[in-house]
mmCIF file of all heavy atoms in Angstrom:
data_model
loop_
_atom_site.group_PDB
_atom_site.id
_atom_site.type_symbol
_atom_site.label_atom_id
_atom_site.label_comp_id
_atom_site.label_asym_id
_atom_site.label_seq_id
_atom_site.Cartn_x
_atom_site.Cartn_y
_atom_site.Cartn_z
ATOM 1 N N PRO A 1765 11.138 -2.541 -2.474
ATOM 2 C CA PRO A 1765 12.505 -2.871 -2.026
ATOM 3 C C PRO A 1765 13.410 -3.340 -3.178
ATOM 4 O O PRO A 1765 14.610 -3.050 -3.176
ATOM 5 C CB PRO A 1765 12.274 -3.991 -1.002
ATOM 6 C CG PRO A 1765 10.901 -3.726 -0.464
ATOM 7 C CD PRO A 1765 10.119 -3.216 -1.635
ATOM 8 N N GLN A 1766 12.832 -4.006 -4.185
ATOM 9 C CA GLN A 1766 13.656 -4.406 -5.340
ATOM 10 C C GLN A 1766 14.105 -3.179 -6.139
ATOM 11 O O GLN A 1766 15.233 -3.117 -6.623
ATOM 12 C CB GLN A 1766 12.859 -5.321 -6.263
ATOM 13 C CG GLN A 1766 12.581 -6.706 -5.693
ATOM 14 C CD GLN A 1766 11.854 -7.584 -6.704
ATOM 15 O OE1 GLN A 1766 12.297 -7.739 -7.834
ATOM 16 N NE2 GLN A 1766 10.736 -8.145 -6.305
ATOM 17 N N MET A 1767 13.191 -2.226 -6.308
ATOM 18 C CA MET A 1767 13.551 -0.990 -7.047
ATOM 19 C C MET A 1767 14.641 -0.236 -6.291
ATOM 20 O O MET A 1767 15.595 0.268 -6.890
ATOM 21 C CB MET A 1767 12.327 -0.074 -7.194
ATOM 22 C CG MET A 1767 11.215 -0.666 -8.033
ATOM 23 S SD MET A 1767 9.730 0.379 -7.917
ATOM 24 C CE MET A 1767 8.491 -0.718 -8.588
ATOM 25 N N ALA A 1768 14.476 -0.188 -4.947
ATOM 26 C CA ALA A 1768 15.471 0.517 -4.131
ATOM 27 C C ALA A 1768 16.834 -0.181 -4.259
ATOM 28 O O ALA A 1768 17.870 0.486 -4.407
ATOM 29 C CB ALA A 1768 15.016 0.550 -2.676
ATOM 30 N N ALA A 1769 16.818 -1.518 -4.245
ATOM 31 C CA ALA A 1769 18.082 -2.272 -4.350
ATOM 32 C C ALA A 1769 18.782 -1.944 -5.662
ATOM 33 O O ALA A 1769 20.011 -1.804 -5.709
ATOM 34 C CB ALA A 1769 17.798 -3.774 -4.231
ATOM 35 N N ALA A 1770 17.990 -1.774 -6.744
ATOM 36 C CA ALA A 1770 18.585 -1.440 -8.046
ATOM 37 C C ALA A 1770 19.213 -0.044 -8.025
ATOM 38 O O ALA A 1770 20.035 0.297 -8.869
ATOM 39 C CB ALA A 1770 17.525 -1.526 -9.147
ATOM 40 N N GLN A 1771 18.803 0.777 -7.037
ATOM 41 C CA GLN A 1771 19.410 2.115 -6.882
ATOM 42 C C GLN A 1771 20.514 2.100 -5.835
ATOM 43 O O GLN A 1771 21.006 3.158 -5.433
ATOM 44 C CB GLN A 1771 18.335 3.128 -6.431
ATOM 45 C CG GLN A 1771 17.272 3.413 -7.469
ATOM 46 C CD GLN A 1771 16.242 4.416 -6.961
ATOM 47 O OE1 GLN A 1771 15.646 4.216 -5.903
ATOM 48 N NE2 GLN A 1771 16.035 5.488 -7.693
ATOM 49 N N GLY A 1772 20.832 0.909 -5.325
ATOM 50 C CA GLY A 1772 21.914 0.786 -4.343
ATOM 51 C C GLY A 1772 21.469 1.029 -2.904
ATOM 52 O O GLY A 1772 22.294 1.278 -2.028
ATOM 53 N N MET A 1773 20.143 0.943 -2.674
ATOM 54 C CA MET A 1773 19.619 1.207 -1.328
ATOM 55 C C MET A 1773 19.122 -0.121 -0.751
ATOM 56 O O MET A 1773 18.295 -0.780 -1.376
ATOM 57 C CB MET A 1773 18.412 2.148 -1.508
ATOM 58 C CG MET A 1773 18.165 3.130 -0.391
ATOM 59 S SD MET A 1773 16.546 3.934 -0.618
ATOM 60 C CE MET A 1773 16.641 4.694 -2.195
ATOM 61 N N ASP A 1774 19.641 -0.531 0.412
ATOM 62 C CA ASP A 1774 19.133 -1.789 0.975
ATOM 63 C C ASP A 1774 17.826 -1.534 1.726
ATOM 64 O O ASP A 1774 17.373 -0.388 1.859
ATOM 65 C CB ASP A 1774 20.196 -2.496 1.828
ATOM 66 C CG ASP A 1774 20.529 -1.754 3.115
ATOM 67 O OD1 ASP A 1774 19.699 -0.944 3.572
ATOM 68 O OD2 ASP A 1774 21.623 -1.986 3.670
ATOM 69 N N TYR A 1775 17.225 -2.608 2.224
ATOM 70 C CA TYR A 1775 15.886 -2.506 2.838
ATOM 71 C C TYR A 1775 15.878 -1.528 4.026
ATOM 72 O O TYR A 1775 14.962 -0.712 4.161
ATOM 73 C CB TYR A 1775 15.426 -3.907 3.269
ATOM 74 C CG TYR A 1775 14.021 -3.952 3.791
ATOM 75 C CD1 TYR A 1775 12.931 -4.071 2.940
ATOM 76 C CD2 TYR A 1775 13.767 -3.858 5.163
ATOM 77 C CE1 TYR A 1775 11.627 -4.089 3.420
ATOM 78 C CE2 TYR A 1775 12.473 -3.876 5.652
ATOM 79 C CZ TYR A 1775 11.408 -3.992 4.778
ATOM 80 O OH TYR A 1775 10.129 -4.005 5.275
ATOM 81 N N GLY A 1776 16.909 -1.614 4.850
ATOM 82 C CA GLY A 1776 16.981 -0.734 6.017
ATOM 83 C C GLY A 1776 17.122 0.729 5.603
ATOM 84 O O GLY A 1776 16.488 1.622 6.190
ATOM 85 N N GLN A 1777 17.927 0.969 4.589
ATOM 86 C CA GLN A 1777 18.097 2.351 4.087
ATOM 87 C C GLN A 1777 16.791 2.865 3.475
ATOM 88 O O GLN A 1777 16.446 4.041 3.602
ATOM 89 C CB GLN A 1777 19.219 2.411 3.040
ATOM 90 C CG GLN A 1777 20.595 2.178 3.651
ATOM 91 C CD GLN A 1777 21.656 1.944 2.578
ATOM 92 O OE1 GLN A 1777 21.391 1.330 1.547
ATOM 93 N NE2 GLN A 1777 22.863 2.411 2.838
ATOM 94 N N LEU A 1778 16.058 1.958 2.821
ATOM 95 C CA LEU A 1778 14.773 2.344 2.227
ATOM 96 C C LEU A 1778 13.792 2.784 3.320
ATOM 97 O O LEU A 1778 13.099 3.804 3.168
ATOM 98 C CB LEU A 1778 14.200 1.155 1.432
ATOM 99 C CG LEU A 1778 12.774 1.311 0.909
ATOM 100 C CD1 LEU A 1778 12.656 2.465 -0.087
ATOM 101 C CD2 LEU A 1778 12.308 0.002 0.233
ATOM 102 N N CYS A 1779 13.746 2.040 4.418
ATOM 103 C CA CYS A 1779 12.840 2.428 5.530
ATOM 104 C C CYS A 1779 13.219 3.806 6.061
ATOM 105 O O CYS A 1779 12.344 4.639 6.348
ATOM 106 C CB CYS A 1779 12.894 1.385 6.650
ATOM 107 S SG CYS A 1779 12.200 -0.204 6.172
ATOM 108 N N GLU A 1780 14.526 4.071 6.181
ATOM 109 C CA GLU A 1780 14.986 5.403 6.635
ATOM 110 C C GLU A 1780 14.558 6.491 5.648
ATOM 111 O O GLU A 1780 14.117 7.571 6.034
ATOM 112 C CB GLU A 1780 16.514 5.453 6.741
ATOM 113 C CG GLU A 1780 17.130 4.569 7.801
ATOM 114 C CD GLU A 1780 16.753 4.966 9.215
ATOM 115 O OE1 GLU A 1780 16.581 6.177 9.479
ATOM 116 O OE2 GLU A 1780 16.605 4.045 10.039
ATOM 117 N N LYS A 1781 14.723 6.172 4.357
ATOM 118 C CA LYS A 1781 14.394 7.150 3.303
ATOM 119 C C LYS A 1781 12.900 7.498 3.359
ATOM 120 O O LYS A 1781 12.523 8.668 3.225
ATOM 121 C CB LYS A 1781 14.751 6.528 1.936
ATOM 122 C CG LYS A 1781 14.535 7.436 0.764
ATOM 123 C CD LYS A 1781 15.707 8.365 0.580
ATOM 124 C CE LYS A 1781 15.460 9.363 -0.534
ATOM 125 N NZ LYS A 1781 16.424 10.456 -0.514
ATOM 126 N N ILE A 1782 12.065 6.483 3.568
ATOM 127 C CA ILE A 1782 10.616 6.711 3.634
ATOM 128 C C ILE A 1782 10.302 7.666 4.790
ATOM 129 O O ILE A 1782 9.499 8.590 4.645
ATOM 130 C CB ILE A 1782 9.873 5.357 3.767
ATOM 131 C CG1 ILE A 1782 9.909 4.623 2.421
ATOM 132 C CG2 ILE A 1782 8.435 5.554 4.257
ATOM 133 C CD1 ILE A 1782 9.367 3.214 2.454
ATOM 134 N N ILE A 1783 10.949 7.450 5.926
ATOM 135 C CA ILE A 1783 10.710 8.340 7.072
ATOM 136 C C ILE A 1783 11.201 9.748 6.747
ATOM 137 O O ILE A 1783 10.499 10.739 6.955
ATOM 138 C CB ILE A 1783 11.391 7.791 8.343
ATOM 139 C CG1 ILE A 1783 10.724 6.464 8.758
ATOM 140 C CG2 ILE A 1783 11.326 8.806 9.488
ATOM 141 C CD1 ILE A 1783 11.390 5.756 9.913
ATOM 142 N N GLU A 1784 12.402 9.808 6.178
ATOM 143 C CA GLU A 1784 13.001 11.124 5.881
ATOM 144 C C GLU A 1784 12.105 11.947 4.936
ATOM 145 O O GLU A 1784 11.812 13.104 5.215
ATOM 146 C CB GLU A 1784 14.374 10.878 5.239
ATOM 147 C CG GLU A 1784 15.160 12.109 4.917
ATOM 148 C CD GLU A 1784 16.277 11.789 3.923
ATOM 149 O OE1 GLU A 1784 16.974 10.763 4.100
ATOM 150 O OE2 GLU A 1784 16.411 12.567 2.963
ATOM 151 N N VAL A 1785 11.635 11.323 3.835
ATOM 152 C CA VAL A 1785 10.832 12.109 2.875
ATOM 153 C C VAL A 1785 9.435 12.399 3.442
ATOM 154 O O VAL A 1785 8.826 13.419 3.130
ATOM 155 C CB VAL A 1785 10.735 11.451 1.465
ATOM 156 C CG1 VAL A 1785 12.107 11.251 0.869
ATOM 157 C CG2 VAL A 1785 9.968 10.153 1.481
ATOM 158 N N SER A 1786 8.939 11.515 4.289
ATOM 159 C CA SER A 1786 7.606 11.731 4.877
ATOM 160 C C SER A 1786 7.626 12.855 5.907
ATOM 161 O O SER A 1786 6.625 13.552 6.096
ATOM 162 C CB SER A 1786 7.106 10.449 5.551
ATOM 163 O OG SER A 1786 7.031 9.395 4.634
ATOM 164 N N MET A 1787 8.759 13.028 6.590
ATOM 165 C CA MET A 1787 8.844 14.039 7.659
ATOM 166 C C MET A 1787 8.967 15.457 7.105
ATOM 167 O O MET A 1787 8.741 16.426 7.830
ATOM 168 C CB MET A 1787 10.025 13.747 8.591
ATOM 169 C CG MET A 1787 9.879 12.476 9.417
ATOM 170 S SD MET A 1787 8.412 12.464 10.449
ATOM 171 C CE MET A 1787 9.028 13.319 11.900
ATOM 172 N N LYS A 1788 9.313 15.552 5.797
ATOM 173 C CA LYS A 1788 9.520 16.894 5.200
ATOM 174 C C LYS A 1788 8.326 17.792 5.441
ATOM 175 O O LYS A 1788 8.475 18.953 5.779
ATOM 176 C CB LYS A 1788 9.726 16.746 3.687
ATOM 177 C CG LYS A 1788 11.144 16.490 3.273
ATOM 178 C CD LYS A 1788 11.219 16.600 1.766
ATOM 179 C CE LYS A 1788 12.623 16.364 1.279
ATOM 180 N NZ LYS A 1788 12.671 16.418 -0.187
ATOM 181 N N LYS A 1789 7.096 17.250 5.219
ATOM 182 C CA LYS A 1789 5.915 18.129 5.284
ATOM 183 C C LYS A 1789 5.670 18.658 6.698
ATOM 184 O O LYS A 1789 5.014 19.679 6.871
ATOM 185 C CB LYS A 1789 4.665 17.430 4.741
ATOM 186 C CG LYS A 1789 4.232 16.179 5.454
ATOM 187 C CD LYS A 1789 2.927 15.666 4.833
ATOM 188 C CE LYS A 1789 2.550 14.290 5.327
ATOM 189 N NZ LYS A 1789 3.403 13.205 4.782
ATOM 190 N N TYR A 1790 6.210 17.976 7.703
ATOM 191 C CA TYR A 1790 5.998 18.452 9.073
ATOM 192 C C TYR A 1790 6.960 19.588 9.434
ATOM 193 O O TYR A 1790 6.805 20.227 10.452
ATOM 194 C CB TYR A 1790 6.148 17.288 10.068
ATOM 195 C CG TYR A 1790 5.115 16.219 9.809
ATOM 196 C CD1 TYR A 1790 5.460 15.032 9.165
ATOM 197 C CD2 TYR A 1790 3.785 16.415 10.157
ATOM 198 C CE1 TYR A 1790 4.510 14.066 8.898
ATOM 199 C CE2 TYR A 1790 2.821 15.458 9.891
ATOM 200 C CZ TYR A 1790 3.194 14.289 9.263
ATOM 201 O OH TYR A 1790 2.243 13.344 8.990
ATOM 202 N N ARG A 1791 7.974 19.770 8.565
ATOM 203 C CA ARG A 1791 8.946 20.849 8.830
ATOM 204 C C ARG A 1791 8.578 22.110 8.070
ATOM 205 O O ARG A 1791 9.140 23.147 8.286
ATOM 206 C CB ARG A 1791 10.348 20.390 8.415
ATOM 207 C CG ARG A 1791 10.907 19.372 9.400
ATOM 208 C CD ARG A 1791 12.381 19.115 9.123
ATOM 209 N NE ARG A 1791 12.673 17.709 9.342
ATOM 210 C CZ ARG A 1791 12.890 16.823 8.384
ATOM 211 N NH1 ARG A 1791 12.889 17.185 7.107
ATOM 212 N NH2 ARG A 1791 13.124 15.570 8.675
ATOM 213 N N GLU A 1792 7.630 21.956 7.077
ATOM 214 C CA GLU A 1792 7.313 23.117 6.210
ATOM 215 C C GLU A 1792 6.580 24.210 6.963
ATOM 216 O O GLU A 1792 5.877 23.933 7.918
ATOM 217 C CB GLU A 1792 6.472 22.663 5.006
ATOM 218 C CG GLU A 1792 7.347 22.032 3.945
ATOM 219 C CD GLU A 1792 6.541 21.200 2.938
ATOM 220 O OE1 GLU A 1792 5.304 21.181 2.991
ATOM 221 O OE2 GLU A 1792 7.201 20.554 2.108
#
Side-chain angles (χ1 to χ4, degrees):
Q1766 290 183 53
M1767 296 171 195
Q1771 293 180 306
M1773 212 191 302
D1774 68 22
Y1775 185 85
Q1777 291 168 324
L1778 172 62
C1779 293
E1780 294 295 326
K1781 183 83 184 166
I1782 286 173
I1783 294 174
E1784 182 197 315
V1785 302
S1786 301
M1787 293 302 274
K1788 273 189 180 178
K1789 61 177 170 287
Y1790 298 103
R1791 287 190 217 106
E1792 281 163 5

